Amino acid sequence: MSLSPAIQRLVEALRCLPGVGPKSAQRMAFHLLERDREGGRRLAAALTDAIDKVGHCEQCRTLTEEPVCGICRSDSRDRSQLCVVETPADIVAVEQATDFRGLYFVLMGHLSPLDGIGPADIGLDRLAERLARGEVAEIILATNPTVEGEATAQYIADLARSHGIRATRLAHGIPLGGELEYVDGGTLSHAFSGRRDL
Amino acid sequence: MSLSPAIQRLVEALRCLPGVGPKSAQRMAFHLLERDREGGRRLAAALTDAIDKVGHCEQCRTLTEEPVCGICRSDSRDRSQLCVVETPADIVAVEQATDFRGLYFVLMGHLSPLDGIGPADIGLDRLAERLARGEVAEIILATNPTVEGEATAQYIADLARSHGIRATRLAHGIPLGGELEYVDGGTLSHAFSGRRDL
């Protein structure tokens, strides 16, 4: 082998990053060692710090190093609207793209009976308690438009209905800038049945 | 901002990696925190370890945590052949692709007068001492086929000649699997003038 053990270990460790194969890992290792040791040290410290401290928000289950996350703590959010997403990354996407000012609830996954992931594993017991408290007026289901995401949304909609709470689902349809010709049949069918007056 | 400070710091720190933009950095951070904290810890440790220990080989200047690298230390390498490359990654490429069994010398860059990078900055003083010792019979110039790489190769070839040492340069030509039609003019011209008997 033409790499020394410490460099080899670094290359292998970098492969835990998603989307990083052997070539990129080697390029990253050499880049850090040749040109950015300061950045590498900062990365090691930030990694250790985040891994040691970050847990889940007591209220919405998102990743945060505080007991309750910034959004749940905020006074300026509308507590009557609750947007249910699968992952913390979905919160970032919704916050960046929309002017939603309600709260979130993060499932950290979706229902998947075949993998043994049931309602309690995605925090639905805690969600039910929260709905029972009566603060939430609308629950916005923003799970992914996959089979599991749809099933999870259905399940939570039933839960909301049993508490007399309105449940809405993000609209399906043609993505902006997409071409009708290339949109898949399921999406086109949803876009048709969901058409609106102009 | 929808990310807590520790996560935000991790996302920013990940951007020191080459080819990692804001989206990938966020994906990496969430992946490590949600699914691979063990891998993240291993990465932090490997980073710190490599950055603390890795320096340059006393003989060939490649990156290694030992005073002299494995290849320079090896008894089974041919000390009469010296392959000059720009970076440690080039050693890996040559070792993987060829059956070269000589030694290497790593410039850690190339001559670039406009950037103030002169012969001493790429270790040519040390290379001259080594050539003066008389052990090297052939110096193989494997710098990149760029303007700077060619100029650097020329400079080292002159240095070798002044010590009466043979200097060779990697062949330029049509890459395997390439199509003549799409090969650039410079490469095609090199391939023509470098043609061989079949």
Side-chain angles (χ1 to χ4, degrees), chain A residues 21-41:
Chain A
K23 273 271 178 186
S24 329
Q26 188 191 297
R27 191 161 73 100
M28 288 173 170
F30 282 136
H31 172 86
L32 292 178
L33 291 172
E34 285 169 31
R35 278 189 289 272
D36 195 9
R37 294 195 179 210
E38 200 35 64
R41 271 189 214 285

Side-chain angles (χ1 to χ4, degrees), chain A residues 4-7 9 16 26 30-32 34 36-37 41 44 47-49 51-52 54 63 65 88 92 108, chain B residues 4-7 9 16 26 30-32 34 36-37 40-41 44 47-49 51-52 54 63 65 88 92 108:
Chain A
S4 69
I7 302 178
R9 278 196 300 274
C16 74
Q26 188 191 297
F30 282 136
H31 172 86
L32 292 178
E34 285 169 31
D36 195 9
R37 294 195 179 210
R41 271 189 214 285
L47 262 173
T48 309
D49 185 61
I51 290 173
D52 284 345
V54 170
L63 291 169
E65 70 269 30
V92 179
M108 300 300 295
Chain B
S4 68
I7 303 178
R9 276 196 301 274
C16 74
Q26 188 189 298
F30 282 136
H31 171 86
L32 291 178
E34 285 169 32
D36 194 10
R37 295 197 178 211
R41 270 187 214 289
L47 262 174
T48 308
D49 185 60
I51 290 173
D52 284 345
V54 169
L63 291 168
E65 70 270 29
V92 178
M108 301 299 295

Side-chain angles (χ1 to χ4, degrees), chain A residues 21-103:
Chain A
K23 273 271 178 186
S24 329
Q26 188 191 297
R27 191 161 73 100
M28 288 173 170
F30 282 136
H31 172 86
L32 292 178
L33 291 172
E34 285 169 31
R35 278 189 289 272
D36 195 9
R37 294 195 179 210
E38 200 35 64
R41 271 189 214 285
R42 228 172 14 241
L43 174 55
L47 262 173
T48 309
D49 185 61
I51 290 173
D52 284 345
K53 290 187 192 158
V54 170
H56 294 280
C57 169
E58 285 168 12
Q59 290 181 22
C60 76
R61 301 190 4 131
T62 195
L63 291 169
T64 174
E65 70 269 30
E66 289 137 358
V68 176
C69 76
I71 293 178
C72 287
R73 265 197 335 262
S74 166
D75 292 333
S76 63
R77 312 282 309 200
D78 176 358
R79 287 168 187 275
S80 72
Q81 288 191 311
L82 189 66
C83 178
V84 177
V85 294
E86 295 189 20
T87 68
D90 298 331
I91 297 186
V92 179
V94 173
E95 288 288 297
Q96 280 175 353
T98 75
D99 55 359
F100 178 68
R101 297 296 298 164
L103 298 182

